[in-house]
């Protein structure tokens, strides 16, 4: 390892749970990690130097980054102009601000997939929401359609299904992507990593498993229950995309597999990703260490999956808002292969991501059975209620 890379002062925009787990991994190599986040304390405060400030603000990002050698992100919605200015000042910035500019805008993402001949749902870009039906006619689109805000949507906010003209009253009144609805059979995610020398690795696909009726994400499982040839296709696309987007670091690629087995790219995120938390316990190299290796231009580690896993997001229980209390921890900790991660958010509220649980087992089926029990035991509630 080059001594210089390990002595870099690394600045991370965002100090949420992804920043926290990145900092935990960085501690293995005594790396100097600083995070910029408006919340005090933020999840990463416990293991990184926290600088209070807004990663969306030009001044805050510029000031924070000026004191660093290398700047990276754990959230995409950061100030791009400040990153461009930092790059001009000679700072290393990963991912590159121009790659990030494409990813921050779902419209530019879709145009890029189209340009590179990569599979994605048919779409058109809509600037003036009042022209939706006219454009649908020209583009030969029928209902149902999916409308996505081009910017600033996350975790499903900023995406809606429009079944028919009757739904038009709740259209987003901002520039958006209009997509044909895909008959989704499975949702898959693949992580790719690329270092500055251009070496690329990809991880085994992860499958999001939904409640059959409620369309609610139950858990993520690895390996995904797709054909080997589909898995290879997803991994090949992820490897091509990380190169085409010129990303140094991690790229999480989300896919749909439709009911005929066809694969579509949904969207990408150029950072550690929720779908990769299990890599901490189940892969030779965790996504967090892989990100550090990539941005420091160290050799990438093996992404090999050592055992199956279920990854369950610990969401705040319905009807509970206030200081967080974790019910059922002791019981779950007495079980083999159950790994609890708490993000350290002081306040819980319904559906807030408060932590996650990774359940590993030699067979996926045993991990699912363990999950069925754990989900009845562990709950994030508020003691104030
Ligand atoms: P976000 O960026 O908020 O995560 P996504 O683009 O991933 O939003 O969309 C959220 C969810 O909406 C997807 O996980 C999928 O279930 C559904 N969805 C998105 N696009 C389509 C589509 N073209 N057809 C069918 N369902 C879709």
């Amino acid at each position: 390892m080059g001594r210089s890379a390990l002595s870099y002062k690394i600045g991370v925009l965002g100090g949420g749970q992804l920043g926290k787990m990145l900092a935990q991994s960085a501690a293995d190599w005594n790396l100097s990690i600083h995070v910029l986040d408006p919340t005090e304390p933020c999840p990463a405060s416990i293991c990184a130097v926290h600088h209070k400030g807004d990663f969306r603000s030009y001044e805050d990002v510029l000031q924070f980054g000026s004191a660093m050698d290398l700047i990276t992100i754990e959230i995409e919605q950061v100030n791009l102009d400040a990153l461009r200015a930092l790059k001009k000042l000679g700072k290393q910035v990963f991912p590159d601000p121009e790659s990030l500019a494409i990813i921050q805008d779902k419209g530019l993402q879709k145009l890029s997939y189209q340009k590179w001949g990569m599979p994605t749902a048919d779409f058109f870009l809509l600037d003036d929401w009042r022209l939706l039906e006219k454009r649908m006619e020209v583009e030969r689109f029928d209902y149902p359609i999916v409308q996505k805000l081009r910017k600033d949507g996350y975790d499903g906010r900023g995406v809606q299904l429009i079944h028919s003209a009757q739904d038009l009253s709740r259209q987003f009144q901002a520039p958006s992507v209009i997509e044909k609805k895909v008959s989704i059979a499975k949702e898959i995610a693949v992580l790719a990593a690329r270092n500055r020398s251009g070496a690329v690795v990809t991880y085994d696909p992860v499958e999001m498993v939904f409640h059959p009726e409620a369309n609610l994400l139950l858990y993520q499982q690895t390996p995904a229950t797709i054909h080997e040839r589909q898995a290879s296709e997803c991994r090949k696309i992820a490897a091509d995309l990380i190169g085409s987007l010129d990303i140094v670091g991690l790229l999480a690629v989300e896919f749909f597999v439709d009911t005929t087995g066809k694969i579509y790219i949904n969207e990408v995120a150029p950072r550690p990703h929720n779908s990769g938390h299990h890599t901490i316990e189940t892969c030779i190299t965790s996504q967090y260490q892989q990100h550090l290796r990539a941005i420091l231009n160290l050799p990438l580690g093996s992404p090999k999956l050592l055992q199956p896993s279920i990854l369950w997001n610990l969401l705040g229980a319905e009807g509970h808002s206030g200081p967080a209390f974790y019910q059922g921890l002791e019981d779950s900790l007495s079980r083999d292969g159950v790994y609890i991660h708490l993000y350290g958010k002081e306040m819980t509220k319904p559906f807030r991501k408060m932590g996650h649980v990774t359940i590993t087992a030699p067979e996926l089926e045993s991990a699912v059975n363990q999950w069925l029990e754990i989900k009845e035991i562990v709950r994030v509630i508020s003691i104030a209620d």
Side-chain angles (χ1 to χ4, degrees):
M1 284 181 197
R3 194 196 155 272
S4 58
L6 293 186
S7 63
Y8 285 166
K9 211 167 155 184
I10 302 171
V12 185
L13 302 184
Q17 58 266 23
L18 298 165
K20 175 185 178 183
M21 288 181 268
L22 189 64
Q24 283 179 290
S25 183
D28 287 345
W29 293 344
N30 298 305
L31 299 174
S32 161
I33 290 271
H34 298 249
V35 300
L36 178 70
D37 198 281
T39 312
E40 192 156 33
C42 61
S45 300
I46 197 164
C47 48
V49 184
H50 179 208
H51 300 236
K52 192 169 180 203
D54 185 354
F55 39 75
R56 289 183 170 85
S57 144
Y58 180 84
E59 286 76 24
D60 288 5
V61 172
L62 189 63
Q63 192 191 23
F64 171 75
S66 298
M68 304 293 149
D69 298 306
L70 187 155
I71 298 100
T72 188
I73 60 167
E74 61 108 57
I75 184 165
E76 290 97 297
Q77 285 79 23
V78 298
N79 191 288
L80 274 189
D81 284 333
L83 288 181
R84 290 183 174 117
L86 287 167
K87 203 178 154 190
K88 277 211 186 96
L89 288 173
K91 304 292 178 185
Q92 300 191 35
V93 180
F94 302 116
D96 189 273
E98 301 323 317
S99 310
L100 202 48
I102 295 175
I103 293 170
Q104 279 186 352
D105 180 341
K106 284 189 174 175
L108 295 183
Q109 273 191 48
K110 294 284 287 186
L111 290 172
S112 304
Y113 307 146
Q114 195 178 48
K115 183 171 80 190
W116 297 325
M118 292 179 171
T120 191
D122 288 343
F123 72 100
F124 62 83
L125 302 184
L126 184 70
D127 290 331
D128 183 347
W129 59 276
R130 283 163 291 236
L131 300 180
L132 176 62
E133 290 214 303
K134 203 170 264 171
R135 288 290 308 283
M136 282 178 66
E137 210 181 300
V138 175
E139 305 283 344
R140 296 169 189 265
F141 269 46
D142 291 322
Y143 292 111
I145 52 164
V146 181
Q147 183 186 26
K148 302 183 175 186
L149 286 178
R150 286 183 65 164
K151 292 196 168 170
D152 295 331
Y154 68 98
D155 275 355
R157 274 164 272 191
V159 174
Q160 65 174 337
L161 188 63
I162 299 185
H163 295 93
S164 67
Q166 276 156 5
D167 288 346
L168 285 179
S169 56
R170 55 181 175 85
Q171 234 196 108
F172 299 131
Q173 301 182 355
S176 53
V177 177
I178 304 296
E179 269 183 22
K180 283 194 180 160
K181 180 175 180 283
V182 174
S183 298
I184 299 175
K186 289 181 198 291
E187 297 201 31
I188 304 291
V190 172
L191 267 177
R194 180 168 171 264
N195 70 11
R196 275 150 52 199
S197 306
V200 172
V201 296
T202 60
Y203 285 75
D204 277 80
V206 173
E207 179 174 347
M208 321 305 149
V209 179
F210 291 88
H211 187 284
E213 283 113 46
N215 195 29
L216 208 82
L217 177 67
L218 296 176
Y219 53 77
Q220 300 172 43
Q221 71 177 39
T222 321
T225 57
I226 52 177
H227 295 297
E228 214 157 284
R229 121 188 100 67
Q230 291 172 315
S232 317
E233 191 182 336
C234 291
R235 290 177 82 151
K236 162 94 174 56
I237 292 172
D240 289 347
L241 255 186
I242 199 168
S244 300
L245 283 164
D246 197 16
I247 301 284
V248 168
L250 288 172
L251 185 74
V253 186
E254 296 179 16
F255 295 94
F256 302 138
V257 181
D258 77 7
T259 44
T260 69
K262 190 170 172 322
I263 286 161
Y264 302 79
I265 300 167
N266 177 29
E267 59 170 355
V268 298
R271 53 167 171 78
H273 195 248
N274 191 291
S275 67
H277 292 333
H278 65 288
T279 59
I280 296 173
E281 286 93 5
T282 65
C283 291
I284 290 183
T285 312
S286 80
Q287 65 164 343
Y288 301 100
Q289 195 190 98
Q290 199 72 282
H291 187 70
L292 295 168
R293 287 171 179 245
I295 61 178
L296 297 174
N297 207 25
L298 298 169
L300 296 180
S302 164
K304 189 175 161 52
L305 180 71
L306 298 172
Q307 57 181 338
S309 67
I310 296 292
L311 192 148
W312 181 48
N313 288 321
L314 268 182
L315 306 180
E318 272 184 277
H320 289 263
S321 295
F325 178 77
Y326 303 90
Q327 241 179 9
L329 282 193
E330 285 192 18
D331 184 336
S332 58
L333 290 174
S334 67
R335 295 157 183 259
D336 284 348
V338 176
Y339 301 88
I340 306 274
H341 294 257
L342 304 179
Y343 300 155
K345 298 176 184 176
E346 283 177 12
M347 297 292 174
T348 183
K349 60 182 178 191
F351 305 110
R352 187 173 193 203
K353 263 185 215 159
M354 301 299 287
H356 73 262
V357 183
T358 302
I359 304 169
T360 65
E363 303 293 334
L364 193 56
E365 201 187 331
S366 329
V368 174
N369 288 336
Q370 184 77 274
W371 171 75
L372 286 169
E373 293 181 20
I374 294 283
K375 80 178 177 60
E376 300 304 325
I377 297 168
V378 180
R379 258 168 39 106
V380 189
I381 58 169
S382 172
I383 34 178
D385 292 320

